[in-house]
Amino acid sequence: MALITVFCGAAAQVSETDVKACWLYVGPVGDYGFSYAQDLGRKATAADLPGITTAYVEAVAEADVEATVDQLVADGCNVVLGTSFGFGDGLLAAAERYPDVIFGHATGVERAPNLLTYMADFYQVYYVNGLIAGGLSSSGIVGYIGAFPIPEVKRHIDAFAIGVKEANPDAKVVVRWLYNWFDPAGAKEATEALIADGADVFAFTEDTPTVAQTAAAHGYPSFSHYASMLPYAPDTIASGQLVNWGVLTTDILSKVIDGTYTSTNLEDVDYFWLLAQGAVEVGAEPGMVINPAYEEALKERTVELANGDRLSVYDLALLRIEQMATDPVAFDPFTGPVYDRKGNLVYGVGVTPSVEELLGLQWAADNVEGPWEGEP
């Protein structure tokens, strides 16, 4: 699934050397997590388009977005890419103030004539990781430590929970919220609290490997998030969600250079790239879909499919990846019938959600427990 508007009647081309693209990161780059993955994307794009100039500012607070953009524009940045959902208001205001500058908002939803949105989305990947989590859980309690209860995170948790349920019908996903993107102390506390409640497999949205390290200290499996976290828990990272932001930003900047994208025609441009576009992948690290340490356990646990066939969780995970990596996709984890935890039918038999529905998702899957702000 990919939503992108392509314009005809392109404007004049610009030279690569005329482009100075500047990124705003929500956290420190470090060597793991979301901002690290964003910076890998920046480096990949710089390698793909060697004539451009790039720069970045890390650990930008939401309140400082506009002031940071002011400085970047003063420094000659004519393409500004903000990479956190919370940067939306600041980027929108800056886009209005600098109508000749092209803006992009990763994970964003609001656009303007000179502001596009782009997303390398994990919901397919989370579903596969849910299969693996369900296959590995002995207690039937899978812990999820979430950053903020926004549609993106809810979408990922629901897809994850659907996978957990398919592999382990009686298992539940228990959620705790951090209300922070970067909170290693809170992530450790939440993980330990979930362990005390019986959770024995863990996934998370937070910009450090703290959950993986805390789970590993107890011998429990977890998942890499955004970039490989295998070095931090080599025996217990089962798989993970890996991103390649570079394929998106290279495409965006290539279209700026060839004149397809200008500062007046971006209002309907939204990227929602998935497995089929190579924007994301399943893996503990690139090339390792499932940690060999867990292969045997996942091959021993079987799942009965709707057609009556039985597959091991291991083989089912690989099959689903293959099916979702086609364009158009051959399988979508949200295909109905899907019910929320209040018993409401969310998607009828054979129905799959639109991109717009996914971007605004608020409901909780029927095996999710815990607080859920904005639940319909």
Side-chain angles (χ1 to χ4, degrees), residues 158 161-162 164-165 168 171-174 341 365-369:
D158 281 349
I162 288 171
V164 167
K165 184 177 180 179
N168 193 337
K172 58 185 179 181
V173 176
V174 181
R341 66 179 183 179
D366 60 5
N367 59 336
V368 170
E369 293 188 359

Side-chain angles (χ1 to χ4, degrees), residues 206-228:
E206 195 264 338
D207 207 11
T208 75
T210 301
V211 172
Q213 291 173 302
T214 306
H218 295 265
Y220 292 141
S222 62
F223 299 87
S224 290
H225 185 58
Y226 269 103
S228 172

Side-chain angles (χ1 to χ4, degrees), residues 11-12 19 66 97-98 203 230 233 238 302 342 367 369 376:
V19 174
E66 289 189 66
R97 192 159 65 251
Y98 299 107
L230 193 66
T302 62
K342 292 183 176 180
N367 59 336
E369 293 188 359

Side-chain angles (χ1 to χ4, degrees), residues 218-255:
H218 295 265
Y220 292 141
S222 62
F223 299 87
S224 290
H225 185 58
Y226 269 103
S228 172
M229 295 180 174
L230 193 66
Y232 298 91
D235 297 328
T236 53
I237 293 284
S239 184
Q241 311 95 40
L242 305 176
V243 70
N244 182 7
W245 288 106
V247 299
L248 288 105
T249 50
T250 294
D251 191 86
I252 291 168
L253 292 176
S254 295
K255 288 183 169 63

Side-chain angles (χ1 to χ4, degrees), residues 19-25 29 35 38-43 45-46 49 51-58 60 68 71-83 118 249 253:
V19 174
K20 183 173 183 179
C22 302
W23 276 253
L24 280 70
Y25 303 140
V29 170
S35 294
Q38 288 283 356
D39 202 54
L40 290 179
R42 179 188 65 82
K43 292 175 179 175
T45 295
L49 304 171
I52 69 171
T53 301
T54 73
Y56 68 88
V57 181
E58 60 186 340
V60 177
T68 305
Q71 186 59 57
L72 291 175
V73 173
D75 291 342
C77 299
N78 49 20
V79 179
V80 175
L81 302 170
T83 63
Y118 63 103
T249 50
L253 292 176

